[in-house]
Amino acid sequence: SAATYGNGEFGYDDNSEIIEKLVPLNPYGVSKNEFDKWAFKQEEQPPNWYGLKFFNVYGPNEYHKGRMASVIMHAYYQIESKGSMTLFRSHNPIYADGGQLRDFVYVKDLISVIQFLMESKPESGLYNLGTGTARAFLDLAKSTFSALAKKEEIEFIDTPTDIRDKYQYFTEANMRKLRNAGYSKQFYTLETGIEDYVNNYLSQNKYY
């Protein structure tokens, strides 16, 4: 998980040498990083194994995730029900409201990468799984309105206090390792991913 990188003090490189230094911001990230540490300490390991650090994943079949579902899914239902949507206000002076940056990756790309690893069997270890390009939440919101062909109506609300001090304002996967391993397929852009998700799944209430 990208949550293992915390505030990004040591970058966003899928380098096993830095996992002992990482300081995740929440128990979820800590648990993932502790497992990474454990895996590398094992004397007996499978012939091929891969620890994938998923960044901000979105796409079909995330209905069960509730509050933790992607902002895109929540935005879709907000826009459909009231014609507007909300984003978290920035509580960091470096970032404007809606200017928080995350590496959003479409779930179809995750499937493609996992299949590549299974079939090609590159060197075992940790691999980032994002797009390598950070995008603003405001871009996400505008793309969702565009996919629905509706006028933009965006409101900002305070980030809940229970997650405010653990909030990541920036994530961006370094994808060099996966590319060097031979994965050459282009990732969905935020715009093309949202268009596919909204028009071919959410608007049709479609499940896999």
Side-chain angles (χ1 to χ4, degrees), residues 3-20:
T4 60
Y5 291 117
N7 277 326
E9 302 95 326
F10 300 98
Y12 297 88
D13 299 331
D14 40 11
N15 182 350
S16 61
E17 295 179 0
I18 69 170
I19 60 175
E20 294 288 344

Side-chain angles (χ1 to χ4, degrees), residues 28-208:
Y28 173 81
V30 170
S31 70
K32 301 301 182 186
N33 199 53
E34 287 300 313
F35 185 83
D36 289 344
K37 294 177 184 178
W38 176 88
F40 278 101
K41 291 176 181 177
Q42 302 312 298
E43 293 183 3
E44 294 186 24
Q45 299 179 351
N48 301 96
W49 65 271
Y50 307 100
L52 301 179
K53 295 200 177 198
F54 293 172
F55 278 64
N56 278 66
V57 183
Y58 66 95
N61 280 20
E62 58 174 329
Y63 304 101
H64 65 286
K65 294 170 69 176
R67 178 188 179 190
M68 300 308 294
S70 73
V71 176
I72 297 160
M73 193 191 86
H74 289 301
Y76 170 81
Y77 286 112
Q78 288 178 25
I79 295 168
E80 284 291 84
S81 64
K82 60 180 184 179
S84 64
M85 63 165 288
T86 59
L87 288 175
F88 287 154
R89 183 175 290 113
S90 173
H91 299 274
N92 184 327
I94 297 176
Y95 298 88
D97 292 341
Q100 303 95 317
L101 297 165
R102 296 286 183 85
D103 193 335
F104 300 101
V105 59
Y106 198 26
V107 69
K108 290 185 178 182
D109 282 321
L110 268 68
I111 295 169
S112 177
V113 170
I114 291 170
Q115 185 174 0
F116 164 79
L117 294 172
M118 289 175 59
E119 295 175 351
S120 299
K121 296 180 174 60
E123 181 182 357
S124 297
L126 299 177
Y127 285 84
N128 280 337
L129 221 175
T131 65
T133 302
R135 298 292 302 275
F137 277 95
L138 196 57
D139 293 334
L140 179 156
K142 291 180 177 181
S143 295
T144 307
F145 277 103
S146 177
L148 286 166
K150 293 189 176 183
K151 180 183 176 182
E152 297 172 12
E153 293 288 345
I154 303 167
E155 303 170 2
F156 293 96
I157 60 173
D158 287 344
T159 304
T161 54
D162 62 327
I163 64 171
R164 190 178 301 176
D165 62 341
K166 307 297 183 183
Y167 188 83
Q168 288 177 301
Y169 277 82
F170 174 85
T171 64
E172 184 176 81
N174 182 336
M175 298 302 296
R176 189 179 302 114
K177 187 174 181 180
L178 183 66
R179 292 301 192 190
N180 289 342
Y183 188 78
S184 59
K185 187 175 179 180
Q186 293 300 306
F187 289 93
Y188 280 82
T189 65
L190 184 61
E191 289 78 9
T192 57
I194 289 177
E195 183 178 9
D196 183 57
Y197 185 23
V198 167
N199 292 318
N200 295 322
Y201 298 93
L202 290 173
S203 64
Q204 298 184 35
N205 196 29
K206 183 178 179 181
Y207 293 75
Y208 272 123

